[in-house]
Amino acid sequence: MSTMTAPSRIADILKQWSITENNSGVSTGKKWLKGEGEVLTSSSPVDGATIASVRGASKAEYDQAVKAAQTAFLEWRNWPAPKRGEVVRQFGEELRKHKAALGKLVSYEMGKSYQEGLGEVQEMIDICDFAVGLSRQLHGLTMHSERPEHRMYEQWHAIGPVGIISAFNFPVAVWAWNTALAWVCGDTCIWKPSEKTPLCGIACQAIAAEVLARNNAPEGVCVLINGGREVGEWLSHDERIPLVSATGSTRMGKAVGAAVGQRLGRSLLELGGNNAIIISEKADLDIAMHASLFGAVGTAGQRCTSTRRLIIHESVFDAFTKKLVKAYGQLRLGDPLDEKNHVGPLIDKAAVDMYLKALEAAKEQGGKVLVEGGVLSGEGYESGCYVKPAIVEVKPEMAIVQQETFAPILYVMRYSGDVTKAIAVQNNVKQGLSSALMTLDMREMERFLSVAGSDCGIANVNIGTSGAEIGGAFGGEKETGGGRESGSDAWKAYMRRQTNTINYGSTVPLAQGIKFDL
């Protein structure tokens, strides 16, 4: 497919957000800066076509954008929270109007199926709905004072400009998770999208800027700064940014966490996952198969919550793997914009190389291939980014099993005895994001969910490891970073807590009964 004509399939979408061959990727909300930094080329893994180029920020433009966010914060924090919530409500309504177009752009630029692209935009809409309600519930606690005629309470205040570093696999949803909450909390947002999906960032900025302008919000509430690795480093070291939320690899997260921690800032880290499903001898194997299938191959295995490991009781191992191998044989691989296909491409050829090396390492370490992998070629696969989802039988102690390979490779292993042994295998990795148990036994379920059970931030029963809803806090432990985004009380990460004591009496008694009389 010609690189000159391939983007014609989304030409109407590009035109809608004024995306041309050469675009500025730096915006303060009301205006686009020239973009004097690194030039990023957006190429689709779907067909190898070059979609457009994006001009990133120079250091001077970065400073200009951050200053705009700082200035806007001084006004935005004083808007009543429900008024900020109304802006978020309108943003959600605009996303509803643009759902099909934005979902298609996500699918084409990133490579996930169109259905998953639509699902990602739906996540944005859902978090907006959640945040609108939250705008009237930013509550603190009241406490009884030990001193007479005193009242104690706590309140939460906006923290300041929030830096958001997002990854290619969810090029729009994770930004929205952070932004919708940060906005209702009174913060402004500075977004550095992935270098691999800059056009999704431009589209979202255009939608947000229109809504903010309609509501006469100050310039700088929503800032976009495209660029390379250096932009992430600038954000991490910038003392003007009290909170940096970063999603990506553990390696990246450690660098961000160290830089932010060195200046005593806050970091919210959503990093790698080496997620497992335990399949008990008491599982419903049909439910387990469907959950394992999507968990392993959805987004071509490029979700942080993708299922990497199946820990299967030896008594059902053969029966279950037979069902799973048969299901793999029915998968349709190809153009993700064709809704008949289940699995699209990996993000780029570097990801393909990583996939091939992991498969080779698994074989060298003694893994038994149940479903052969490989790179697809021929008509429809010209980009070189399409790979076959693979299944390899392994032993838990193999080195490759300890690694997160961002690709559709599923490692299956046996366990014997009770479920506590399987839980020990599951927990024996450095990551701690998502986990699942397939069982119809209540005792096994409760053991899995107990304090001695799964050590992950997400623990599911009879559903897979991926597909979290926005109502719950999302995140994990260990090398997953410890951050929490989205629902529950994750909003507190974007605010600062203040304890207040009011003396309405006529004396000044000290706490702990201390006497200090003159």
Side-chain angles (χ1 to χ4, degrees), residues 62 157-165 177-179 181-183 185 187-191 234-246 256 260-261 263-269 483-485 490-496:
Y62 165 86
H157 293 305
I159 193 173
V162 174
I164 303 167
I165 302 172
W177 283 4
N178 285 273
T179 298
L181 296 189
W183 279 355
C185 289
D187 302 325
T188 55
C189 294
I190 304 166
W191 181 22
W234 296 339
L235 284 169
S236 300
H237 288 90
D238 197 332
E239 294 183 354
R240 296 171 293 181
I241 302 173
L243 170 66
V244 176
S245 175
V256 171
V260 176
R263 59 179 176 84
L264 299 181
R266 295 192 206 171
S267 57
L268 195 167
L269 303 176
R484 292 297 185 275
E485 292 175 328
W491 61 270
K492 293 179 178 179
Y494 305 89
M495 305 195 82
R496 59 183 177 88

Side-chain angles (χ1 to χ4, degrees), residues 385-415:
C385 295
Y386 292 85
V387 301
K388 300 175 185 176
I391 303 177
V392 185
E393 183 179 352
V394 298
K395 293 191 178 345
E397 62 271 16
M398 290 181 181
I400 190 63
V401 181
Q402 299 293 314
Q403 302 173 15
E404 178 195 31
T405 302
F406 228 54
I409 302 174
L410 181 62
Y411 300 115
V412 298
M413 59 201 79
R414 303 169 190 256
Y415 82 94

Side-chain angles (χ1 to χ4, degrees), residues 277-281 283 285 292 309-322 324 370 391 393 410-416 422 425:
I277 297 178
I278 298 170
I279 301 174
S280 162
E281 60 184 324
L285 296 188
S292 300
R309 300 174 292 145
L310 294 184
I311 305 165
I312 309 168
H313 194 275
E314 60 182 2
S315 66
V316 296
F317 184 91
D318 291 338
F320 181 78
T321 54
K322 183 178 180 180
L324 192 60
L370 302 184
I391 303 177
E393 183 179 352
L410 181 62
Y411 300 115
V412 298
M413 59 201 79
R414 303 169 190 256
Y415 82 94
S416 59
V425 172

